[in-house]
Amino acid sequence: MRPYILAETNWKAIKDQQVDIAILPWGATEAHNYHLPYGTDNMEAEAVAAEAARMAWEAGTRVMVLPVIPFGVNTGQADITLDINLNPSTQLAILGDIVEVLNRQGIHKLLVLNSHGGNDFKPMLRQLGLRYPDMFLLTTNWFLAADRRQFFDSPGDHADEMETSIMLHLRSDLVLPLSEAGAGREYKSRLTGIREGWAWSERLWSQVSDDTGIGDPAAATAEKGKAFFEATTQKIANLLTELAGVDNKNRYRRE
Ligand SMILES: [Zn+2]
């Protein structure tokens, strides 16, 4: 039983336990090429949150990992079977209720640990920050914390070498042989601005990829996944430990 994982601990422990920072892992339920499970983003979010929280806890930081929210924004995958979409407005309602609880109970720091590219919590945290000025609200996309180019030969952005390597490290029992995976080829937009990255439109997933993957998973290994996982969780643990030391009313350095 880990005292920093809410789903595992109990009221006997919690009623007198100081909690300075809540961590909310937020994933998605969606196809990940042919070879990774639908729960990939949720398993990654839970594992990253738990390991970062363990390191922060052992450094003396009073953190608590909330249960993962298993559905994300999948507006671009409407025709992919059993990709479950939560609209951004629904996410705001859920997040708002959770922040209200934390604020009322005096837990005034929240890190939303995002595990899915379709989720975008920044506008929600802007809006909730106005409503709850005592809260220090943060979000991170864990998959961007470490520089994936230092760990992988051909990083993509969905069920790619990175994500496949992480899952080989965490849950190899749920990964099909890589011979079963598609190539994860991404078809590029006809619009120059979108290809260059300065214009944006929702990707229509069944047109942008043949196999729902974006990025070739062929070079994935558990060893690469372990190295990236360790680098990522160390950075997030450091974020938590720094956050614990910051006064919510004095967040900026003057020197
Ligand atoms: Zn994913």
Side-chain angles (χ1 to χ4, degrees), residues 1-240:
M1 182 196 304
R2 295 169 290 182
Y4 48 85
I5 306 286
L6 185 59
E8 295 182 8
T9 188
N10 49 62
W11 174 236
K12 188 173 180 71
I14 289 292
K15 65 183 176 46
D16 301 317
Q17 187 169 319
Q18 181 186 337
V19 178
D20 294 330
I21 302 172
I23 304 166
L24 180 63
W26 204 312
T29 297
E30 60 172 351
H32 274 75
N33 200 324
Y34 295 122
H35 64 293
L36 294 181
Y38 267 62
T40 291
D41 290 1
N42 300 326
M43 295 173 203
E44 292 166 339
E46 285 188 304
V48 169
E51 178 61 9
R54 182 191 67 78
M55 286 191 274
W57 179 270
E58 287 175 2
T61 305
R62 302 297 96 180
V63 295
M64 185 62 70
V65 179
L66 307 182
V68 66
I69 310 272
F71 302 124
V73 173
N74 278 83
T75 41
Q77 287 94 349
D79 54 354
I80 311 269
T81 306
L82 286 174
D83 277 22
I84 307 294
N85 174 54
L86 276 195
N87 283 320
S89 54
T90 313
Q91 288 190 317
L92 175 60
I94 294 169
L95 188 56
D97 283 358
I98 293 169
V99 172
E100 182 184 354
V101 170
L102 298 174
N103 183 65
R104 183 171 61 237
Q105 300 184 356
I107 299 168
H108 283 144
K109 292 171 177 169
L110 170 66
L111 174 65
V112 181
L113 188 84
N114 180 38
S115 192
H116 169 63
N119 296 339
D120 181 5
F121 295 106
K122 281 165 61 176
M124 301 177 199
L125 297 188
R126 293 180 199 274
Q127 186 167 334
L128 293 170
L130 268 185
R131 197 187 303 166
Y132 299 104
D134 291 340
M135 295 291 301
F136 196 154
L137 302 171
L138 300 83
T139 185
T140 180
N141 295 320
W142 67 259
F143 43 90
L144 299 179
D147 180 3
R148 64 177 78 183
R149 289 167 305 179
Q150 292 180 5
F151 295 84
F152 303 106
D153 300 316
S154 59
D157 72 19
H158 183 67
D160 63 338
E161 181 187 342
M162 182 278 275
E163 210 166 21
T164 303
S165 296
I166 290 266
M167 287 302 283
L168 286 171
H169 169 54
L170 295 175
R171 289 301 305 267
S172 61
D173 57 315
L174 296 177
V175 180
L176 292 182
L178 290 179
S179 57
E180 305 274 332
R185 179 176 171 195
E186 178 185 15
Y187 298 102
K188 301 292 185 186
S189 174
R190 296 187 189 280
L191 302 181
T192 305
I194 290 180
R195 288 197 307 277
E196 290 180 353
W198 52 270
W200 181 87
S201 179
E202 173 90 83
R203 282 179 291 186
L204 302 177
W205 221 259
S206 55
Q207 295 182 27
V208 82
S209 165
D210 293 326
D211 48 35
T212 80
I214 292 185
D216 186 356
T221 68
E223 291 69 31
K224 292 178 186 176
K226 180 173 190 285
F228 188 70
F229 183 82
E230 288 175 354
T232 296
T233 50
Q234 184 63 64
K235 291 193 78 166
I236 295 171
N238 293 346
L239 174 69
L240 293 167

